[in-house]
Amino acid sequence: MGMQKPSIPKGTRDFGRKETAERNYIFDTIKAVFRTFGYVQIETPAMENLSTLLGKYGDEGDKLLFRILNSGDAFAKADLSADGPSITRQVCEKGLRYDLTVPFARYVVQHREEIAMPFRRFQMQPVWRADRPQKGRYREFWQCDADVIGSTSQINELELVQIVDNVFKRLDINVLIKINNRKVLTGLAEIAGFPDKVTDITVAIDKIDKIGLDAVKEEMLQRGLTPEAVEVIEPVLLLSGDTAGKIARMRNLMNGGSASGIVSQTGLKGLDELEELFGFISVAGIRSAVEIDLSLARGLNYYTGAIFEVKACDFPIGSICGGGRYDNLTGIFGMPGLSGVGISFGADRIYDVLKGLDKFPASLGSSTTLLFANMDAAVVPYLIPVAAALRAEGISCEIYPDTGKLKKQFDYAGRQGIPFISIVGSDEMSSNMVNIKNLATGDQRQFDREDVKNIKNFLQN
Amino acid sequence: MGMQKPSIPKGTRDFGRKETAERNYIFDTIKAVFRTFGYVQIETPAMENLSTLLGKYGDEGDKLLFRILNSGDAFAKADLSADGPSITRQVCEKGLRYDLTVPFARYVVQHREEIAMPFRRFQMQPVWRADRPQKGRYREFWQCDADVIGSTSQINELELVQIVDNVFKRLDINVLIKINNRKVLTGLAEIAGFPDKVTDITVAIDKIDKIGLDAVKEEMLQRGLTPEAVEVIEPVLLLSGDTAGKIARMRNLMNGGSASGIVSQTGLKGLDELEELFGFISVAGIRSAVEIDLSLARGLNYYTGAIFEVKACDFPIGSICGGGRYDNLTGIFGMPGLSGVGISFGADRIYDVLKGLDKFPASLGSSTTLLFANMDAAVVPYLIPVAAALRAEGISCEIYPDTGKLKKQFDYAGRQGIPFISIVGSDEMSSNMVNIKNLATGDQRQFDREDVKNIKNFLQN
């Protein structure tokens, strides 16, 4: 046990007092909003069986799983002449949670008998990915997910939009909520005459903000679409105006009004869903901007209905929240046909936005309201009951533990952001008083030692 | 991706809505108390470098660490002809957090420049140990630790006693707080004439509650003490009466009054500390029973001053909280001479006590206050603004998302423990009213749809 220069694994972070307080502010705000919508919190273990995790995130995802070496002598019975992946399979049975969705699906199937549907659950836990660490990308990060399963009503989609609106209103971040529907994307592929190329089309059009219309068209051609198909899709990418107008023009296209003349029932169903959702939104008092964005595809080939994405209006960063509806969350665990819709808040990006816009409340910087200076050991037993009475009233206070120079104690109050200090000496003790000074204003008062009510008033004003 | 029967690794747990709410009640209570004493929360990563963890918990502890397989092809460059432990060292660089103390020590050294001393920190995070799972022992469990470092004053010990008292008062659990001092144990070994057998003596006397006085004496003899030494120690094990009396009699023994006549300065210093601490306790308004227990040794050879242990008075379970003072927390990381004192709350055992005594608040069972029934899709847009207005007032409510039979919706309210239901039909809509029924009392009222204030009053009374 020699001396070591300590460090933490790359891609992981320590959170100090200030960052933890700021992060809790985000988590607590989101939790409070989830709760007003009747969402209940659950927690799942950090470790899952690899049989639960493998194959759920594609080949790339499998590689990014952190695997736990079996305990005991993991190698005792392993065939070490095999290749690396085979040895890995022999010596690792568990992995760290990669997201909250697969553990949720596993949870629902495992506990199906206990769950009342519709089930509104939220979960806020860290996840781990062996990604290459880079700015803003970590190997340990937190996800905040809310999902409703067991109901196909668009009321659930509305609620998620309301949750987003409420959270960012409380955090004082202006956001734009973009909504699309996967069925409309399917319809688009159908009326373009390439029903099997939904993925190619969505991957291409998802890039329109980054690479522009011409490059998207070029990419669609490279992905095997014909110029005629691209001609069908182009007007959709150029749609502008209000939501009702966009839906009406899309309905016309899906109804045989495109250059191909093909009708897509799936596309029409998606438009019905969008129309119902926007009808609900119009009466819900949403304060954020909400718009339909038919280019929104969110990489994942996973959603089957609504697709959401949220962007901060006043800060340049990617999506800070997103989600959508899926129709087969639990099918992989043998429980098919369960529809759900969910969203996930990106805590790290929201943190960056609040930092960038300087929107964290100033009060998060300080944890202690009042410091009792300790000039003389004799004063300590005199102060202990005062501090105890204030704490019983919810006032955070400290007695400086070591008797010593006042300057050091003032420095401590300054570094900790403590706004009030009490300096009690023999004069105060003989008259049963305490002195309290507001360090910001210089205002100083004397109180009877038992007068907790007035001390509290002074500290809270 | 065939069907699988999902499960979780042995020794880990899912926490459903009720357990999570109950666990949050414990964590939130402890946090709120920590905060009134000016303790600040920090968080450290789940994964630490094995160089940080190894050698800190003894050989047994090293075996219980969960190790993370290096990412990429971990075995590509490994010498697989070596033995198991050697292969393990080659392919694993990281491990899961085993406790919160070593990561805290690592944190303090790594961030020494940013930390103002004295540093009062708390931390509530899961830890992982590859222990054999059994009833009440898990491979993933939560620790709630508070420590003050950078101060040797007994005010810190007092604060921890106050924190314990406050937490269990708020949780409505009667506790006995037992206090000892490691220096007194050292003194005991000195006056017994075996200063190098402190560990043997403390390990033996720590068992007195379990095996009784005679067996403890026998064990001390087996551990190499002489009958004369045991004769010196025996009166200490038989001490009874009030704290002042116990300290006075111990002071006499440490001052040359034992059968050996040896004086122990270390023992006397320990008694000074105990006396100062109990002096503070006497003026602090502590409501729990606090007693000196000279047989309290808490296995760990780690403490150098105060030792704490907390037991539930009305429920048979081991210690539910414990801690003590240590003088060299950060020495292993190259920063010697930093003294600290801390406690750790055992969340799982506190949970068991609250369950066993039926002391969880009944309100934790329900997350939603009001369910709006959904008998007819036409009513949904009428209800959306009412629900939104109530949520803005902090009232948790849900609109049942799928139109359907009232019985199913009542069943849902029952299973979820929702206390109020609103059934709005065309009559209410035409008069701009909402009906709300208290399901427990049967009390039913009508309100104007915009009359949020009176609806809120009805729901909260």
Side-chain angles (χ1 to χ4, degrees):
Chain A
M1 292 207 292
M3 299 218 288
Q4 325 170 355
K5 192 178 169 192
S7 64
I8 50 178
K10 62 182 178 179
T12 70
R13 292 166 287 175
D14 282 327
F15 299 108
R17 51 176 293 177
K18 190 147 187 286
E19 292 149 292
T20 303
E22 288 165 342
R23 288 164 52 86
N24 283 344
Y25 168 70
I26 297 171
F27 294 133
D28 291 347
T29 301
I30 297 174
K31 270 185 208 177
V33 172
F34 284 164
R35 289 195 176 120
T36 64
F37 286 80
Y39 284 68
V40 295
Q41 189 174 8
I42 68 161
E43 296 198 324
T44 61
M47 298 188 284
E48 292 274 356
N49 291 321
L50 282 171
S51 57
T52 299
L53 301 176
L54 286 169
K56 310 306 189 296
Y57 308 105
D59 290 345
E60 262 317 297
D62 285 355
K63 285 186 196 148
L64 299 182
L65 291 171
F66 278 112
R67 287 153 209 258
I68 315 268
L69 194 68
N70 294 344
S71 40
D73 187 354
F75 297 100
K77 292 179 184 166
D79 170 12
L80 300 177
S81 67
D83 61 0
S86 164
I87 301 175
T88 300
R89 277 192 298 276
Q90 295 178 67
V91 299
C92 296
E93 283 166 5
K94 295 180 288 292
L96 292 179
R97 189 166 55 213
Y98 178 92
D99 73 357
L100 301 178
T101 303
V102 167
F104 176 52
R106 193 266 311 143
Y107 176 91
V108 169
V109 176
Q110 198 174 329
H111 302 272
R112 61 215 290 176
E113 302 301 330
E114 306 148 35
I115 296 172
M117 298 287 178
F119 183 42
R120 292 172 163 81
R121 89 85 174 77
F122 76 88
Q123 208 168 336
M124 292 191 176
Q125 295 188 275
V127 301
W128 295 270
R129 296 182 188 177
D131 250 322
R132 187 182 299 275
Q134 57 187 58
K135 188 176 172 347
R137 189 196 285 167
Y138 304 101
R139 292 184 147 194
E140 173 181 61
F141 59 98
W142 274 251
Q143 290 193 332
C144 309
D145 283 18
D147 292 79
V148 200
I149 56 164
S151 165
T152 56
S153 162
Q154 291 293 311
I155 297 175
N156 302 298
E157 274 81 347
L158 168 69
E159 280 189 1
L160 296 179
V161 173
Q162 288 179 299
I163 285 173
V164 168
D165 180 55
N166 265 279
V167 163
F168 291 111
K169 181 76 189 168
R170 291 191 191 199
L171 294 176
D172 196 23
I173 299 175
N174 291 318
V175 295
L176 168 62
I177 305 173
K178 294 172 162 196
I179 302 180
N180 196 5
N181 189 297
R182 171 58 197 264
K183 296 188 182 76
V184 176
L185 295 173
T186 302
L188 198 56
E190 288 179 8
I191 63 172
F194 286 87
D196 56 338
K197 288 217 180 279
V198 187
T199 304
D200 288 293
I201 295 170
T202 57
V203 166
I205 69 179
D206 194 33
K207 296 181 184 166
I208 192 157
D209 284 346
K210 283 184 196 143
I211 64 176
L213 178 64
D214 287 341
V216 167
K217 286 163 68 177
E218 181 56 37
E219 179 163 338
M220 286 194 283
L221 293 171
Q222 281 171 1
R223 285 173 176 269
L225 268 72
T226 57
E228 293 72 22
V230 172
E231 197 188 328
V232 170
I233 293 165
E234 181 167 359
V236 176
L237 302 178
L238 294 172
L239 276 182
S240 63
D242 67 359
T243 301
K246 282 181 179 174
I247 292 176
R249 271 167 288 155
M250 283 299 293
R251 196 178 289 282
N252 175 50
L253 295 174
M254 294 293 169
N255 223 348
S258 77
S260 74
I262 298 171
V263 172
S264 168
Q265 294 302 336
T266 304
L268 290 168
K269 174 81 171 65
L271 292 168
D272 288 345
E273 291 178 4
L274 280 175
E275 194 160 27
E276 185 176 17
L277 174 55
F278 274 90
F280 290 157
I281 288 172
S282 70
V283 297
I286 305 284
R287 290 148 300 189
S288 308
V290 186
E291 68 173 36
I292 208 164
D293 180 350
L294 296 166
S295 74
L296 178 63
R298 288 187 68 80
L300 273 174
N301 235 326
Y302 171 78
Y303 295 126
T304 54
I307 304 172
F308 304 110
E309 189 169 272
V310 182
K311 297 210 161 188
C313 299
D314 308 319
F315 195 78
I317 204 167
S319 144
I320 55 177
C321 178
R325 178 172 287 278
Y326 40 82
D327 275 342
N328 200 15
L329 176 70
T330 53
I332 40 172
F333 297 114
M335 189 177 168
L338 192 62
S339 185
V341 57
I343 44 165
S344 183
F345 286 84
D348 288 307
R349 285 193 176 169
I350 293 171
Y351 183 91
D352 290 344
V353 173
L354 287 169
K355 264 287 176 231
L357 298 175
D358 197 18
K359 295 246 178 160
F360 280 114
S363 60
L364 298 179
S366 170
S367 56
T368 298
T369 303
L370 172 62
L371 177 69
F372 291 97
N374 181 345
M375 302 288 292
D376 176 354
V379 85
V380 171
Y382 178 89
L383 295 174
I384 286 170
V386 188
L390 287 170
R391 289 176 186 133
E393 292 290 318
I395 304 278
S396 167
C397 53
E398 298 176 34
I399 300 173
Y400 194 85
D402 302 288
T403 305
K405 287 194 181 147
L406 200 54
K407 178 173 181 322
K408 191 175 174 188
Q409 301 185 31
F410 266 93
D411 284 351
Y412 172 79
R415 282 190 73 170
Q416 301 288 76
I418 300 175
F420 293 89
I421 195 163
S422 169
I423 303 165
V424 168
S426 50
D427 285 359
E428 285 81 7
M429 284 175 70
S430 61
S431 56
N432 201 43
M433 304 295 275
V434 291
N435 242 321
I436 299 179
K437 186 174 184 175
N438 181 326
L439 292 173
T441 65
D443 188 12
Q444 185 162 330
R445 303 267 183 93
Q446 279 217 332
F447 300 91
D448 188 279
R449 184 164 73 124
E450 280 86 23
D451 187 4
V452 170
K453 193 178 156 203
N454 279 312
I455 297 175
K456 186 178 173 184
N457 278 340
F458 182 61
L459 297 173
Q460 292 186 332
N461 286 312
Chain B
M1 291 210 289
M3 300 219 287
Q4 321 170 357
K5 192 177 168 193
S7 65
I8 52 178
K10 62 181 177 181
T12 69
R13 292 165 288 176
D14 282 327
F15 299 110
R17 51 176 293 177
K18 189 147 187 285
E19 293 148 291
T20 302
E22 289 165 342
R23 288 165 52 86
N24 283 343
Y25 168 69
I26 297 172
F27 294 134
D28 291 347
T29 301
I30 298 174
K31 271 186 206 175
V33 172
F34 284 164
R35 289 196 176 120
T36 65
F37 286 80
Y39 284 68
V40 294
Q41 188 173 10
I42 68 162
E43 295 197 325
T44 61
M47 297 188 284
E48 292 274 356
N49 291 320
L50 282 171
S51 57
T52 299
L53 301 176
L54 285 169
K56 309 305 188 297
Y57 308 105
D59 289 346
E60 263 317 297
D62 284 355
K63 285 185 196 147
L64 299 183
L65 291 172
F66 279 111
R67 288 152 209 258
I68 314 270
L69 193 68
N70 294 343
S71 40
D73 186 353
F75 296 100
K77 291 180 184 167
D79 170 13
L80 299 177
S81 67
D83 61 359
S86 163
I87 300 175
T88 300
R89 277 191 298 276
Q90 295 177 67
V91 300
C92 296
E93 284 167 5
K94 295 180 288 292
L96 291 180
R97 189 166 55 214
Y98 178 92
D99 72 359
L100 301 179
T101 303
V102 167
F104 176 51
R106 194 266 310 144
Y107 177 90
V108 168
V109 175
Q110 198 174 331
H111 301 272
R112 61 214 291 176
E113 303 301 330
E114 306 148 35
I115 296 171
M117 297 288 177
F119 182 43
R120 290 173 164 80
R121 90 85 174 77
F122 76 88
Q123 208 168 337
M124 292 190 177
Q125 295 188 275
V127 301
W128 295 270
R129 296 183 187 175
D131 250 322
R132 186 182 301 275
Q134 57 186 59
K135 188 176 172 350
R137 190 195 284 167
Y138 303 101
R139 293 185 145 192
E140 173 180 62
F141 59 98
W142 273 251
Q143 291 193 331
C144 310
D145 284 18
D147 292 79
V148 200
I149 55 164
S151 165
T152 56
S153 163
Q154 291 294 311
I155 297 174
N156 302 299
E157 274 80 347
L158 169 68
E159 279 189 2
L160 296 179
V161 173
Q162 289 179 299
I163 284 172
V164 169
D165 180 55
N166 266 279
V167 164
F168 291 111
K169 182 75 188 168
R170 291 192 192 198
L171 293 176
D172 196 23
I173 299 175
N174 291 319
V175 295
L176 169 62
I177 305 173
K178 294 174 160 195
I179 303 180
N180 196 5
N181 189 298
R182 171 58 196 264
K183 296 187 181 78
V184 175
L185 295 173
T186 303
L188 197 57
E190 288 179 7
I191 64 172
F194 286 87
D196 57 338
K197 289 220 180 277
V198 187
T199 303
D200 288 294
I201 295 170
T202 56
V203 165
I205 69 179
D206 193 33
K207 297 180 182 168
I208 192 157
D209 284 346
K210 281 184 198 146
I211 63 176
L213 178 64
D214 288 340
V216 168
K217 286 164 69 176
E218 182 55 38
E219 179 163 339
M220 286 195 283
L221 292 171
Q222 280 169 1
R223 285 173 176 270
L225 268 71
T226 58
E228 293 72 24
V230 173
E231 197 188 325
V232 170
I233 293 165
E234 181 167 0
V236 176
L237 302 179
L238 296 172
L239 276 181
S240 64
D242 68 0
T243 302
K246 282 182 181 172
I247 292 177
R249 271 167 288 157
M250 283 299 293
R251 194 178 289 284
N252 175 50
L253 294 174
M254 295 292 170
N255 222 350
S258 78
S260 73
I262 298 171
V263 173
S264 167
Q265 293 302 337
T266 303
L268 290 168
K269 174 81 170 67
L271 292 168
D272 289 345
E273 291 177 3
L274 279 175
E275 194 159 28
E276 186 177 16
L277 174 55
F278 274 90
F280 290 157
I281 288 171
S282 70
V283 296
I286 306 284
R287 290 148 299 188
S288 307
V290 186
E291 69 173 37
I292 207 164
D293 180 350
L294 296 166
S295 74
L296 178 62
R298 285 188 68 79
L300 274 174
N301 235 325
Y302 171 77
Y303 295 126
T304 55
I307 303 172
F308 304 110
E309 190 169 272
V310 181
K311 298 210 160 189
C313 298
D314 308 318
F315 195 78
I317 204 167
S319 142
I320 54 176
C321 177
R325 179 171 287 279
Y326 42 81
D327 276 343
N328 201 14
L329 175 70
T330 53
I332 39 172
F333 297 114
M335 188 177 170
L338 192 62
S339 185
V341 58
I343 44 167
S344 185
F345 286 85
D348 287 308
R349 285 193 177 171
I350 294 171
Y351 182 92
D352 290 344
V353 173
L354 287 168
K355 263 289 176 229
L357 298 175
D358 198 17
K359 296 247 177 158
F360 280 113
S363 60
L364 297 178
S366 170
S367 55
T368 298
T369 303
L370 171 62
L371 177 70
F372 290 98
N374 181 345
M375 302 288 291
D376 176 353
V379 84
V380 171
Y382 178 88
L383 294 174
I384 286 170
V386 187
L390 287 170
R391 290 176 187 132
E393 292 289 317
I395 305 279
S396 167
C397 52
E398 299 175 34
I399 300 172
Y400 194 85
D402 302 288
T403 305
K405 286 192 183 147
L406 200 53
K407 178 171 183 324
K408 191 176 174 188
Q409 302 186 29
F410 266 93
D411 284 352
Y412 173 78
R415 282 191 73 170
Q416 301 288 77
I418 301 175
F420 293 89
I421 195 162
S422 168
I423 304 165
V424 168
S426 51
D427 285 358
E428 285 81 7
M429 284 175 71
S430 62
S431 56
N432 201 43
M433 304 295 275
V434 291
N435 242 321
I436 300 179
K437 184 174 184 175
N438 181 327
L439 291 173
T441 66
D443 189 11
Q444 185 162 330
R445 303 268 184 93
Q446 278 218 331
F447 299 92
D448 188 278
R449 184 163 72 123
E450 280 86 24
D451 187 4
V452 170
K453 194 178 155 202
N454 279 312
I455 297 175
K456 186 177 173 184
N457 278 341
F458 182 61
L459 297 173
Q460 292 185 334
N461 285 313

